[in-house]
Amino acid sequence: MKDFSSLKQALKLADIGLETSPLSENSKVPLKGSHGYLEATKDSNTLFEVFEKQPKANLCLRLDTSHLIMVDVDLHTKEANGKETLLKLADKKMVLPHTTYIEQTPHNGLHYYFKADVPVGDIKDAFGKDSGIEIKTRFSSVYPSEIDGKQYTPNEGCTWKDLQPAPQWLIDYITGSKEQARPIKIGGTTSYRTKKYTGKLLDMIAGGCAKGKRNAYLTSLTGKMFAVGAEPETIYNLLLLINKNFTTPPLKDQEVNTIFQSILKTDMKKRGVQINDE
């Protein structure tokens, strides 16, 4: 990739209100020491600053704050052929419009982009196991990023001005509306609606965390448990269990207590509860 290719595209996307951030060269991985897509911006000065340090960085598009979703169609494996799934969906009148902005991936897949406001949470195997389709709502690699010397490229004649609203059937599927509450069967496989907030929280707990990310993992979990309205005592007891069983190696109880107390104070302030720090 030429120096500053991603910067030029990032500035063009910023002009239409889309937020981006750099990725490691020849990779989908965030820059070391960064917070990845969470640092995405449309501020030109910030973009100049970050890409000056990484002139050959790949480009990441933040989807959630840009009110976009991306449907990732895998076409290069026999076990997960997204093209076949698209044909089966079309038979059920569930069509992905080809008039929206689409990019071809370095490994012969397709990325369909749509305008949409949906719950944030990626859906793997979106239409059943080995469907070859994933729905992304947080971020994605975009042109002019390169992987193994091959570039993400827009379909011929396609520009970001071609972005279309997501079809209603896709919105219904992602949000788990009543119309799509039943499982969708495609070729003998079954796909379920997207998880609710608590389901995602349970998956996060079960996913665990290794050394180096334990504090961030437990801090995030603590905040989420307060957000769903659990009692502080319940949260603290669960936090100790999670630390013991799902982090490797577990943090010391004192460190867990520090995390809990910090989030507890934040929650109390939000609810207008006076805190006595003495």
Side-chain angles (χ1 to χ4, degrees):
M1 183 190 294
K2 294 181 180 179
D3 286 5
F4 301 111
S5 293
S6 289
L7 171 60
K8 292 177 182 178
Q9 182 66 4
L11 293 172
K12 290 181 180 179
L13 294 179
D15 284 342
I16 58 174
L18 303 183
E19 296 185 337
T20 58
S21 60
L23 296 168
S24 299
E25 183 179 349
N26 193 43
S27 171
K28 300 178 185 179
V29 178
L31 296 178
K32 186 176 181 180
S34 76
H35 293 92
Y37 78 99
L38 296 176
E39 296 180 2
T41 181
K42 54 187 175 184
D43 179 75
S44 58
N45 291 329
T46 303
L47 290 170
F48 272 112
E49 182 180 345
V50 295
F51 281 101
E52 184 177 23
K53 299 174 183 177
Q54 299 286 339
K56 292 187 177 181
N58 275 348
L59 187 63
C60 172
L61 171 65
R62 182 162 185 175
L63 300 173
D64 55 354
T65 56
S66 298
H67 307 285
L68 300 176
I69 60 173
M70 187 270 279
V71 181
D72 184 358
V73 182
D74 187 353
L75 303 177
H76 65 273
T77 64
K78 293 180 180 179
E79 297 79 11
N81 192 317
K83 184 176 181 180
E84 291 183 3
T85 303
L86 289 181
L87 292 173
K88 291 171 182 175
L89 286 170
D91 287 341
K92 295 178 179 290
K93 310 299 182 184
M94 301 160 70
V95 178
L96 287 183
H98 284 75
T99 52
T100 193
Y101 180 72
I102 303 171
E103 287 188 355
Q104 298 182 36
T105 73
H107 295 113
N108 302 317
L110 293 173
H111 285 179
Y112 289 73
Y113 289 88
F114 297 101
K115 299 175 185 177
D117 287 299
V118 296
V120 178
D122 296 346
I123 308 175
K124 295 182 178 180
D125 293 324
F127 300 101
K129 185 179 180 182
D130 297 329
S131 68
I133 295 181
E134 181 176 358
I135 299 172
K136 296 190 176 182
T137 63
R138 297 178 299 145
F139 63 91
S140 70
S141 303
V142 291
Y143 169 84
S145 299
E146 290 184 354
I147 303 292
D148 300 328
K150 297 180 180 180
Q151 200 170 44
Y152 290 83
T153 56
N155 273 4
E156 186 175 357
C158 192
T159 74
W160 284 100
K161 292 181 180 179
D162 297 318
L163 267 174
Q164 299 291 316
Q168 190 59 48
W169 69 264
L170 184 59
I171 296 292
D172 290 341
Y173 176 76
I174 295 171
T175 59
S177 70
K178 291 181 181 178
E179 290 75 17
Q180 292 292 339
R182 300 187 305 276
I184 300 174
K185 295 184 178 180
I186 304 294
T189 62
T190 301
S191 172
Y192 294 91
R193 62 188 180 187
T194 187
K195 297 181 182 70
K196 299 294 185 181
Y197 185 94
T198 306
K200 294 175 185 177
L201 177 59
L202 291 172
D203 284 348
M204 184 179 177
I205 292 171
C209 186
K211 187 175 182 180
K213 298 182 180 180
R214 295 169 297 172
N215 287 77
Y217 167 73
L218 292 175
T219 298
S220 178
L221 278 177
T222 305
K224 291 177 184 298
M225 287 190 282
F226 272 108
V228 298
E231 293 295 330
E233 183 177 356
T234 301
I235 295 171
Y236 185 72
N237 289 331
L238 282 174
L239 203 58
L240 292 175
L241 288 172
I242 293 167
N243 178 57
K244 181 179 179 181
N245 293 285
F246 295 100
T247 62
T248 308
L251 293 174
K252 294 180 180 179
D253 285 354
Q254 183 178 355
E255 292 178 84
V256 176
N257 184 61
T258 299
I259 291 171
F260 171 78
Q261 292 294 339
S262 175
I263 304 301
L264 174 63
K265 288 181 180 179
T266 300
D267 182 73
M268 292 173 70
K269 287 179 180 178
K270 287 181 179 178
R271 293 186 291 108
V273 178
Q274 188 170 356
I275 301 172
N276 185 355
D277 288 325
E278 295 181 359

